[in-house]
């Protein structure tokens, strides 16, 4: 029971830090926005100056580019430069908040937790002592907590990447109606007619802005490659290639090219839906079957051994920890594979 009180105290510490964050956030947001815009402007300026030597800049700013490419597709309200700085600040604040809160809570804990015979005495607290290396556990917890936003962003990115391959079909259908306009106008009008739940709405708006305001061909090609890489399908490559060709030669043949691409995507989607319908039961079993077995097995063991004994054997013995990690890893791999099979990307393969 005493351990529960310390967990509650940790939560209260985190609540206090959250309150401080909400108080200082409006003051930091303005400076953060200015800094993000400044960094993005300098990167674009350097690219326009150095030309082909831009790879040297990309190697120096690889982490910034990596986060920027993920946020470009994973965040609805993406803003060049600003989104990266905002994400970095939130992750850094989460790291600091969890570290300080857990460190303060750990200082208030008794010196050690002693585990006796789990079948007789269970867990007991010893007297209060100075804890050596008290920063190690808080730092470990802080690193785990700070990695959660990044892992969540990767998951959202992967989900939106698959969904974007299907939403591209709507983009092509709408764009085919405005082929009498210039390429930037085609993209602008298409963006206006897309629904808010279309994941390509923001990237398409940025692509249209690139066609309207590019200063050199390298800048346009880079933004076009970024759009195709975000979706990651052959259909996206064909769509952007048609736009780049029409930017140079005019939009005379754009309508027929988009209609042909639309028919190919429709046929491929029907093929995917047919294959998916035939393997639906196996996919559902992979998604939920293992989890149901795990929960029922753990519940049975806890009922037979009592919770205190089960947690002692599971988490305080090398064999128990090893099996637990193997099971969790297996569930994770099974979930990822089943998720991919549940809705494959709309592509030729």
């Amino acid at each position: 029971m005493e351990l529960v009180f310390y967990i509650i105290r940790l939560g209260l510490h985190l609540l206090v830090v959250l309150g401080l964050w909400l108080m200082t956030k409006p003051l930091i947001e303005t400076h953060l926005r200015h800094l993000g815009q400044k960094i993005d402007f300098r990167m674009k300026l350097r690219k326009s100056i150095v030309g082909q030597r831009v790879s040297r800049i990309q190697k120096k700013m690889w982490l910034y580019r990596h986060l920027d490419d993920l946020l470009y597709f994973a965040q609805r309200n993406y803003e060049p430069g600003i989104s990266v700085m905002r994400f970095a600040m939130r992750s850094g604040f989460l790291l600091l908040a969890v570290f300080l809160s857990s460190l303060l809570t750990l200082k208030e804990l008794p010196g050690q937790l002693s585990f006796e015979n789990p079948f007789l005495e269970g867990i007991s607290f010893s007297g209060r002592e100075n804890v050596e290396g008290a920063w190690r556990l808080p730092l470990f917890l802080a690193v785990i907590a700070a990695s959660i936003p990044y892992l969540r962003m990767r998951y959202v990115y992967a989900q939106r990447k698959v969904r974007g391959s299907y939403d591209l079909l709507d983009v092509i259908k709408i764009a085919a109606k405005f082929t009498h306009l210039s390429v930037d106008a085609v993209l602008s009008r298409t963006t206006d007619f897309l629904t808010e739940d279309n994941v390509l709405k923001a990237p398409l708006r940025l692509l249209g802005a690139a066609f309207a305001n590019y200063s050199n061909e390298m800048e346009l090609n880079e933004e076009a490659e970024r759009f195709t890489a975000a979706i990651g399908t052959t259909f996206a490559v064909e769509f952007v290639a048609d736009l780049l060709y029409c930017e140079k030669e005019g939009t005379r043949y754009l309508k027929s090219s988009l209609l042909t691409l639309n028919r190919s995507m429709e046929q491929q989607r029907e093929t995917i839906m047919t294959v998916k319908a035939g393997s639906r039961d196996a996919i559902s079993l992979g998604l939920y079957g293992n989890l149901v077995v795990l929960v029922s097995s753990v519940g049975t063991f806890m009922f037979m051994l009592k919770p205190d004994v089960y947690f002692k054997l599971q988490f305080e013995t090398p064999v128990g920890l090893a099996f637990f990690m193997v099971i969790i890893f297996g569930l994770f791999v099974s979930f990822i594979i089943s998720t991919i099979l549940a809705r494959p990307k709309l592509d030729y393969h």
Side-chain angles (χ1 to χ4, degrees):
M1 191 65 181
E2 191 172 353
L3 182 61
V4 175
F5 289 143
Y6 284 113
I7 295 176
I8 295 175
R9 189 170 297 177
L10 174 63
L12 294 176
H13 286 156
L14 290 173
L15 188 62
V16 171
V17 177
L18 176 62
L20 294 175
W21 160 251
L22 293 177
M23 291 174 59
T24 57
K25 181 181 177 181
L27 301 176
I28 301 175
E29 185 71 21
T30 303
H31 299 285
L32 188 69
R33 178 175 293 273
H34 177 71
L35 179 62
Q37 291 175 343
K38 186 177 180 180
I39 292 176
D40 185 68
F41 173 76
R42 285 185 175 181
M43 289 190 64
K44 291 181 178 178
L45 182 62
R46 289 180 181 180
K47 289 178 183 179
S48 62
I49 293 175
V50 301
Q52 297 299 327
R53 291 175 294 173
V54 70
S55 59
R56 187 182 307 171
I57 299 176
Q58 292 178 344
K59 290 180 180 179
K60 293 181 179 179
M61 304 289 291
W62 66 270
L63 181 59
Y64 176 89
R65 295 297 305 172
H66 173 68
L67 295 176
D68 192 50
D69 290 339
L70 291 177
L71 291 168
Y72 168 79
F73 207 54
Q75 194 174 66
R76 285 182 176 274
N77 57 343
Y78 167 79
E79 299 177 85
I82 302 173
S83 294
V84 177
M85 298 303 299
R86 187 181 291 119
F87 176 82
M89 184 185 67
R90 289 175 178 174
S91 299
F93 177 81
L94 184 60
L95 175 72
L96 184 62
V98 174
F99 176 75
L100 293 178
S101 299
S102 56
L103 183 62
L104 291 174
T105 305
L106 187 62
K107 290 292 186 180
E108 298 171 357
L109 283 172
Q112 300 197 31
L113 294 174
S114 60
F115 294 90
E116 306 296 340
N117 189 332
F119 295 96
L120 299 175
E121 300 181 19
I123 304 173
S124 63
F125 286 103
S126 62
R128 184 179 297 274
E129 300 175 3
N130 293 328
V131 181
E132 296 182 1
W135 57 271
R136 296 174 183 173
L137 179 60
L139 181 61
F140 175 75
L141 296 176
V143 171
I144 294 297
S147 64
I148 292 177
Y150 176 78
L151 296 176
R152 178 184 177 276
M153 180 176 63
R154 290 303 300 259
Y155 176 77
V156 173
Y157 176 81
Q159 292 294 315
R160 291 171 70 88
K161 196 178 183 73
V162 175
R163 185 174 175 182
S165 64
Y166 291 87
D167 288 347
L168 182 64
L169 183 57
D170 295 332
V171 171
I172 293 174
K173 288 180 179 179
I174 297 175
K177 301 177 182 179
F178 302 105
T179 53
H180 59 284
L181 304 174
S182 61
V183 175
D184 59 294
V186 170
L187 296 177
S188 177
R189 295 296 299 273
T190 302
T191 303
D192 295 336
F193 281 89
L194 289 177
T195 59
E196 290 298 328
D197 59 344
N198 192 303
V199 299
L200 298 180
K201 191 176 182 68
L204 198 68
R205 182 182 293 111
L206 293 174
L207 182 62
F211 271 95
N213 304 305
Y214 67 96
S215 58
N216 53 68
E217 189 174 349
M218 184 193 70
E219 182 180 341
L220 178 61
N221 290 335
E222 182 182 359
E223 190 65 30
E225 290 176 2
R226 190 183 192 188
F227 181 83
T228 56
I231 303 175
T233 64
T234 309
F235 292 127
V237 174
E238 292 185 12
F239 173 66
V240 174
D242 289 340
L243 296 180
L244 292 175
Y245 176 81
C246 294
E247 179 66 14
K248 295 180 180 180
E249 305 296 334
T251 58
R252 180 179 180 182
Y253 300 104
L254 181 59
K255 187 178 184 67
S256 60
S257 179
L258 292 181
L259 291 177
T260 302
L261 185 59
N262 177 50
R263 287 192 294 269
S264 299
M265 294 184 69
E266 289 282 6
Q267 292 175 359
Q268 187 65 16
R269 187 175 67 171
E270 292 178 1
T271 302
I272 291 174
M273 298 303 292
T274 302
V275 174
K276 179 182 173 182
S279 57
R280 183 175 302 170
D281 294 338
I283 294 173
S284 300
L285 182 62
L287 276 172
Y288 307 108
N290 294 333
L291 186 60
V292 172
V293 172
L294 177 63
V295 172
S296 60
S297 300
V298 170
T300 302
F301 282 117
M302 290 182 66
F303 177 77
M304 294 173 59
L305 299 175
K306 304 303 180 184
D308 293 340
V309 176
Y310 171 79
F311 285 118
K312 166 64 179 177
L313 297 176
Q314 182 72 76
F315 298 104
E316 294 298 328
T317 61
V319 177
L321 282 174
F323 274 105
F324 181 76
M325 295 303 297
V326 170
I327 292 172
I328 295 300
F329 180 75
L331 285 174
F332 178 76
V333 172
S334 175
F335 177 78
I336 294 298
I337 295 175
S338 299
T339 303
I340 295 174
L341 294 176
R343 194 180 188 190
K345 287 197 298 186
L346 181 56
D347 203 354
Y348 280 118
H349 304 289

